[in-house]
Amino acid sequence: REKGDCRKRFRLAGTALAAVLIGLTVRPSSGFPRYADGCQNCHGDFDGPVSPKGSIFPSGSKHEMHRSARAMDWTFQSAGTPNTPGFGCAGCHGRDYGGDHPNGVGLRRHHFMNNVTLCAGCHFDDPEPLPENILPLYYGSPDTLAFDSCNSMEPPDTWGESFSLDNDIGLDNDGDNQYDDNDADCGGCPWDCAEILDGAVGVTDFLALLSEWGETATACDFGAGGIGVDVGEFLELLAHWGPCP
């Protein structure tokens, strides 16, 4: 009987240890409960293949689309790569406002403009959103498929901002409900990057590009050469010298 009691105690101890180990290794996900607070009303089911507006998502699931290695954000966390810092969702849905991490000011403005005011309880002192043609920090990285926040100039074999399989509409990066080339900030000519848009690519744009050399998230950061204003931007600007198309 003593041996039987001993075996029983070992079995109970083993079961308790397994439960502890499972509790330590399984991390809870906060993405779904937060999404279920109302996001699905406009964006569709968390794991669904479409949205109420008809968007069709790669991989048959918006969740899988956002957590894939190619999207680089891994939903809620990201280790990053040598070319792309680990900013998670804000890498594509936010811009650089001078802090340690990109900020989703334009995304919140877009929701506010469409009567979704949940974020306003905490984010009541946001700065003015950067204009549409200023790039999110993940754009132009060799790890991502998006290069142009105006969604008008994309290198071959990229998706641009159009991650829906049924249309070529990108993001409303500055939250004014104007998308891509329909936004006055884009002007249909990303190479016209001087502060005062004049409808042509010329000396003022060349000087603006030189003044922003090496910087990211600027009006002149439109090339495919990587993150920041560099020789890729210089060659693109020269190739489009003259009146905008």
Side-chain angles (χ1 to χ4, degrees):
R1 187 167 57 198
E2 289 180 359
K3 289 184 178 179
D5 290 342
C6 186
R7 291 193 186 103
K8 183 177 181 180
R9 284 196 294 271
F10 273 117
R11 285 198 299 270
L12 291 173
T15 302
L17 177 61
V20 170
L21 291 176
I22 290 172
L24 290 174
T25 56
V26 176
R27 297 180 58 190
S29 171
S30 59
F32 176 70
R34 292 180 180 180
Y35 188 89
D37 284 342
C39 302
Q40 73 278 9
N41 295 335
C42 289
H43 297 283
D45 292 340
F46 192 67
D47 287 316
V50 298
S51 78
K53 294 185 178 181
S55 297
I56 302 172
F57 302 104
S59 305
S61 165
K62 72 175 64 64
H63 181 221
E64 289 303 315
M65 178 189 79
H66 280 89
R67 69 182 296 273
S68 68
R70 195 62 166 143
M72 275 305 301
D73 55 6
W74 298 100
T75 303
F76 191 66
Q77 63 179 334
S78 174
T81 75
N83 297 308
T84 309
F87 290 141
C89 305
C92 283
H93 292 282
R95 259 94 64 83
D96 183 2
Y97 289 86
D100 296 330
H101 196 279
N103 198 317
V105 173
L107 182 66
R108 290 192 290 273
R109 174 68 64 85
H110 175 83
H111 282 87
F112 183 82
M113 291 280 287
N114 290 278
N115 300 314
V116 180
T117 59
L118 181 65
C119 300
C122 294
H123 298 280
F124 50 84
D125 59 349
D126 276 347
E128 187 67 19
L130 290 169
E132 187 79 11
N133 57 328
I134 301 299
L135 298 182
L137 294 188
Y138 278 1
Y139 284 35
S141 163
D143 298 313
T144 65
L145 294 169
F147 285 81
D148 175 22
S149 52
C150 288
N151 207 29
S152 58
M153 180 197 68
E154 295 297 337
D157 301 322
T158 69
W159 288 357
E161 274 194 335
S162 310
F163 278 77
S164 173
L165 300 181
D166 68 300
N167 64 66
D168 58 358
I169 299 173
L171 302 175
D172 174 22
N173 303 84
D174 58 4
D176 62 1
N177 276 341
Q178 301 297 315
Y179 291 81
D180 308 331
D181 277 344
N182 290 323
D183 193 306
D185 299 321
C186 292
C189 184
W191 311 279
D192 185 11
C193 66
E195 185 174 351
I196 299 176
L197 303 180
D198 58 7
V201 179
V203 174
T204 56
D205 305 291
F206 174 72
L207 294 176
L209 184 148
L210 290 182
S211 70
E212 297 175 355
W213 196 267
E215 297 181 14
T216 59
T218 71
C220 294
D221 189 7
F222 46 71
I227 298 177
V229 178
D230 57 18
V231 68
E233 279 73 21
F234 175 73
L235 295 175
E236 286 282 355
L237 187 140
L238 291 182
H240 295 89
W241 197 270
C244 290

